[in-house]
Structure formats: C-alpha cells, structure tokens
Amino acid sequence: MSFYTSLTGLNSATAQLAVTSNNIANVGTSGFKRSRADFGDIFSTSPLQKSSSNIGQGVSLKQVSQEFSQGNISTSGNSLDLAITGDGFFPLKTPDGLQDIYTRNGSFTLNDQNNVVNSTGQRLMAASVDSSGKADLTDLNALTIPPKTSGEAVETTKIQLGLNLPADSAVITADFDRSNPSTYNKSTALTVYDSGGNGYLATVYYAKTQNASQDQTPPSSKWQTYFFVGDTQVKPALQQATDKVGGALFVNKYGDVLPKSDPRVVPSSGTTEMYSLDQLTDIRRSSPASAIGSALTSAGFANGALVNAVSGTLSFDIKVDAAATAQTITYTMKAGDQDPEVLARNVEIAINNALGSLAETPATANTPAIKNARFGISVAFDPDTARFSIASGTTGDGSSIEVTTTDANAIRVMGLTGAGLKVDASTNEALRGKPSEPAVLRGESMTINTTKSISTTSANKDFFVSVDGYAFKVELSFPTTYTNIDSFAKALQDNINGKVDPSTGRIVSGVTVNFDAKLKQFVFTTGTTGENSAIQVTGSADWGLANTEMQFGSTSEWKKLTQFTENGALQFVKNGIQTEDASGLSTQTEWWPVYLDRGELSFDLTGKPISPLTDMPFETAFLAGGKGALTMSIDFTKSTQYSSAFAVLSQSQDGAPEGELMGLNIGVDGLVNATYSNGSQVSLGKIVLANFSSPSGLRQVGDASYLSSATSGVAKIGEAGSAGFGSIRAGATERANVDLTQELVDLITAQRNFQANAKAIETSSTMTSAIINIRS
C-alpha cells in the first residue's frame, strides 16, 4: 500500500514541477498570471472502521489556480499598448464575433479593417460616447480607428485675409489682366475646399486705383480686388455699406447716411434705386425758395441804374414759408433807389419789418397757436440778368414764397411779374436741401437764486446786444422785481425785439430768450438762419453774460443723390439683387440702402480700413468639370495700408479636407481621441473594463486570455477608474507577475519531494523483496 501512496507523491511532485516550469516559461508573457498547484490528501474510511487507526492513502492534485496580483508596468512606443493598473480585464470578441474573451494582455495592433486587435485577431471592445465623452455601457462595439476622417470635409464659406498693402504703391489705370503683372500690384493665394474636401487654388489680386487727396471727403486710398478660383474669376456680390459695428447704412434724399439702428431710418422694401457710397460727393449748400422777377429792359435799367426808381410807391403781396395769408408790402421810393442794390436793400428792410412784426394767432380749443411772423427774407439784384429776386428767410425744401398782386411800379421798377414769382415747398424731391440753423448763444451758469423772484438793480440792468450786424444797448427799468426767471427772460426778449437800426430803419425781430433751468443758463436764438445770422449779448455776471462771444448761424449742406449706372443704364435693387428692371419701384421710399463699389477696399490717411467693415461677399463660383459650386466671402477688416512692405499678417479659411490620422490619445479613463490633419478631433469610443466576482474561477484559454465560467460569475462592465475597476495606461504593457526567485525555490522543493517519494518507493520495494525471500 505504501508503494501506491508514494506513487501519488511522485505524481504531485511532477505536477508541481510542471506548474513551476510553466510559470518560469511565461516570465516574458505580457499579462500572464502565475499558476499555483493546490494539493489535498487522500483519506478513506468506512462507517465501522476505527478512524484513529486509519492511514492516509497519499496526495492528489485538486486544482491549478492563478494569482491575479498586479504585474510590473513596462512602457513601450506603441500608443495601442495598454496596461491596467488595478482590477479588471480587457473585453475582447473572437474574430467571428461569437465568443467573449477577457485578458490583461494589452498588446494591441490594427488589423486590415482598422479594428484594434490582439495577436490572435480578437477585437478590443469599447463603448460608444457622446460629444461630452460620456460612455453608453449598453452599446459595446469593436474599437475602430480610421486612418482618415469620413464625411468630415468642410466646404469653404469664409476666407480671412489680414494684409498690409504698401501706401506708396503706384496707382494702376490699365485694365486688369492676371497674366500681366503690370496690371496689378500684389497677389495672395491659398487653398479652398468644396463639400467633398477637394482643394482648389484661390488667388486674390490687388490693384491700387486711387491715392488720397484733399479734394475727397473724406480723403481715402482705394484698391480693387480680383478673386479667382482656379482659372475662374469670381465676381464680388452686391454689398451694403455698414458702420463700424456692422450696422447696415441707409441714405435719405439729402445724402444723410445713417445706420439701420437709428430710429429715423425706415428701411425700404421692394424695388429701390441703387446708390453707391462712393458717389455721395456732390455736396451742395442749402438754398432758400427764391421768387425771380422778369428781366428789366433797357428802358428800365441802363448804365447800371434804374430809370424808373425816382418817386412814388410800389406794392405787392407776399406769402413766405406756408404763411396762412399774404401780406401787402408798400414801399415809397426815395433818393438813391436808382441804384438797384440800394433799392433791393430798402425793399428787403420793408418786407422784414412788415413780416417780422406780425402777431401770433392765439390758440383755440381745436387749433394750436400759429406763428405768423417771418424773418430773414432777402432781396437781391443780378446785374448780369437784370432781375430782382426775393428769397425766403429759411432754406431747404420746406421753404416757399409767393409774390402776387404787384402794382404797376413793382412791375416796371422791379420786374415782379411772371410765373417765377411762386415757388412751392418740395415734399418729395430734394431741390434746395435742408433748413439752415439760427445763431444760438448760451450764457454761463448763473450764480443767483433763480427759484425765487428776480430783481434788476443799477449794477445789472444794462445789456449790450448785437443782432445780425446791428449793435445796440438794452436798459431794463430798475429797480424792478420779476415774479420768476421766465418773466425776466420775456421782458429782456421784448426789449431786444423792436429796436430800430437808425442807419437802415431795420427793426430787430424774431430773437427769443429762454432760460435753461437745468443748466441755469440764458439761451438767445435769432429769428434769422444761415451763416449771415449772428448774435451776442453781454451783461452782468449775475445773468451769466459777462464773458460771452459772438455766435453765428450756419447754412446747411446736403448731398445730391445720383443714381448708380452701369453701361449707361440706371441700376435698381430688387430683393438684394442688382437689376435694370424698375418694375415695382416704390414711390414712398425715404431711406435707400447705400452700397459699396464691388470688390473695392478703401483706407483712410492713417492706414485703417474705411470699407468694407464686414465680410466682402462674392457671387457663387461654379467649379470646372461640374464639380459643384462655392459661395464664399472674404474678411479684409484686419488689413492695413502702411508705408511698410506688402505682408500677409493673417490668413485662414473655414474649409477643411478629409483628415489623415495624426495622433491618438487614450486617457486613463479609456477615452480614445483621434487627431486628424484637418484639425478635427474625434472621440472614437471609450475602452471599458470587465471584472468578475471570482477572477480565480476564470477558464484559461491560452494567450493570457480567459473565458467566464460558473465559478467566476458573469462579467461586470464598467468604466476605467470607477469603483471596482482599475485605470488604463496607454503606451505600456503589464509584465507577468511571476517572481523568478520564488519559482526557483519551488523547483528545489518539487525536486526534493520527488526524491523523497522515490526513496519511499525504493524502501517499499526492498521490504517486498525481503518478504519474498523468506521461503528461501
């Protein structure tokens, strides 16, 4: 019996030797886990047998189990080499996709289908991720790393060019020819892409067309651009002018250019006339409505003198600026009126004295008060045409004048007859411009208390006034107490108006005196307007008038609009498209969109861009060979015109081709990010880990791989770094956890065990031989 017992010992020692040899043999196997032989003694007995005297029957191999302790981490140059630090296994699928395999051997490569696989072709599984990198653990697929993007090509829609165009470049007047470098100054080139990622060479040529000069308002330098895609020229599209913040600009009939954000601007709709910002250069001075008489004959005007202006009176009715009723003007001619300039001045004074003294029509329950007085009417004589003219005191299209009921002397002496004696206000067409401005004088802030009654004293009663060339003194009565500052202002106003210029007989009228309670200042305004109106009022410092200066009115300027033409034809804009078709033209338009010249760049004297201040659009470019079309714009807003050399300061475009794989990054959480040559970064998936309730129960299948079993339990899938799962380290592998020193000791132990059991068998054999030899 002892023979068989020792024989089991030999078998166990052999098994231990085999396990130890296998461990030693796999010292260099990545992810290998050392095995351990577990033995148990053999002991059998029957119910009636005395157990205390029973002898064991040897040893048997119970199982070969593995130890899943952490192996050392070894770095490598392959980004697809993966190591797990902590618990977990890489989940794999067999090539046929039917079997789940688990391993800690992270030596992976790409197969011909761009799947991440191990050396036996088993595919690494990964979870799909959303844009934020969050994994869907219910959706596991073989990790695929495409060598280039698919469907990632981006069509070019915007090009950004920041240039410096040399300020000293010569102006080129020759017609542009891209094959002739003398017809342009500079050029730049870059690649643009269609929706399929195909690249095309785009070239932009720059020709200087204008230097800044003092005749321009404002002075600017201009460059014309020419855009080609391949050999196809792409024409600039119609572009509305904008302000510095990108607001679309509109123009009214007086050439006032304002952004759409201005509450006065009401954008037009439908078909409109086309106006160019560059053509708003016809600056004119606003003019009054002027009634022009008939030309005097030689019988009435000879040798520079009026023949009939000797005695008697002349009269006529006049209505100015939409006055309710006409006023009769009667003038008695006197010595010196033979000079037409003198007569014109005297009649002018007579008209202004009459119209300037008209009282206001009081308000009623249904109508507001009406101001009947008119100021600043002028009378002039043109010796070249021998005509008298009477002009309204205001300027602009709102002014009007009508001279009627002229008597015989008015006709004979001044020629006040004919159709030209009536000029109506213009409500639609811009003819005379905008109203001119009066002279406005503001005093300094007053130091006295203006919330109570106001008193004049001997120290502050005097005022020195100059209105439209007539200077005089105003002396308020004193001592006088006014209930408030407004009543004082009214008294001062009444004392200014009505003063008579003794040299001409002109009566001062139309001056208003108001008090600005917020600033505590007097405000003086003339009734006349234009650059010939002027006012100055000086007085005591009590009234804030000690340091005033003469203030003048201004004659307004406006710009005459000229409709844009092309090839001699008037141009219109319909739904943003330039056309010669005027159908549907709106007659109610007050604000028209104003456009830039196509393809033009302009710079001010400091080299900063004036226009365009937004992207320059281009018409659709149709690619050769029917490859599609591109609609692009170019942003020149970062360009300059300095005296330095031509330079490309910045250049970019928003298109992209399909990208080639440039790099791969696998995070500790298993997230796989690929970087491609077109600049795109794509999250391809997240490598997950599997773990088991009893990893030692896994079934070995070779290649450091395992199958799940009933003992190990079902695989639990989780993200690397989460509870119960280790982290992933890319560019590294896990070495075998075999301790070579321990294995060598185990070899010696197995050898001793084998020798001892062999000796037991030898002893048993000797005893058996002795028993056999007893008979002899």
Side-chain angles (χ1 to χ4, degrees), residues 93-146:
K93 278 279 189 184
T94 55
D96 58 12
L98 301 178
Q99 185 71 55
D100 293 319
I101 307 293
Y102 306 95
T103 186
R104 286 181 69 92
N105 182 358
S107 298
F108 296 109
T109 58
L110 288 178
N111 65 7
D112 58 350
Q113 298 177 345
N114 301 315
N115 298 138
V116 178
V117 297
N118 63 7
S119 59
T120 60
Q122 297 165 345
R123 295 176 294 175
L124 177 64
M125 305 302 290
S128 61
V129 294
D130 59 18
S131 58
S132 64
K134 184 178 180 181
D136 182 2
L137 299 180
T138 63
D139 183 20
L140 299 184
N141 298 282
L143 179 60
T144 301
I145 301 176

Side-chain angles (χ1 to χ4, degrees), residues 285-422:
R285 290 165 57 86
S286 295
S287 58
S290 184
I292 302 176
S294 301
L296 299 177
T297 65
S298 58
F301 176 66
N303 299 320
L306 298 173
V307 177
N308 298 314
V310 290
S311 63
T313 62
L314 58 84
S315 68
F316 52 86
D317 289 352
I318 187 170
K319 186 189 295 186
V320 177
D321 293 344
T325 58
Q327 302 297 320
T328 300
I329 306 298
T330 300
Y331 172 71
T332 301
M333 289 179 285
K334 54 189 176 181
D337 283 344
Q338 291 88 350
D339 185 342
E341 298 290 342
V342 174
L343 178 61
R345 182 172 65 250
N346 291 336
V347 173
E348 176 181 300
I349 292 172
I351 295 173
N352 283 291
N353 286 348
L355 299 188
S357 60
L358 294 176
E360 182 179 280
T361 301
T364 64
N366 299 321
T367 60
I370 300 175
K371 293 183 177 181
N372 297 310
R374 299 291 185 269
F375 315 101
I377 294 88
S378 62
V379 181
F381 179 77
D382 185 351
D384 294 332
T385 61
R387 293 175 184 267
F388 279 94
S389 61
I390 305 175
S392 61
T394 59
T395 65
D397 290 325
S399 63
S400 63
I401 193 168
E402 183 179 4
V403 178
T404 58
T405 320
T406 55
D407 67 2
N409 280 338
I411 296 173
R412 184 174 61 254
V413 175
M414 298 185 67
L416 298 183
T417 184
L421 294 179
K422 180 180 180 181

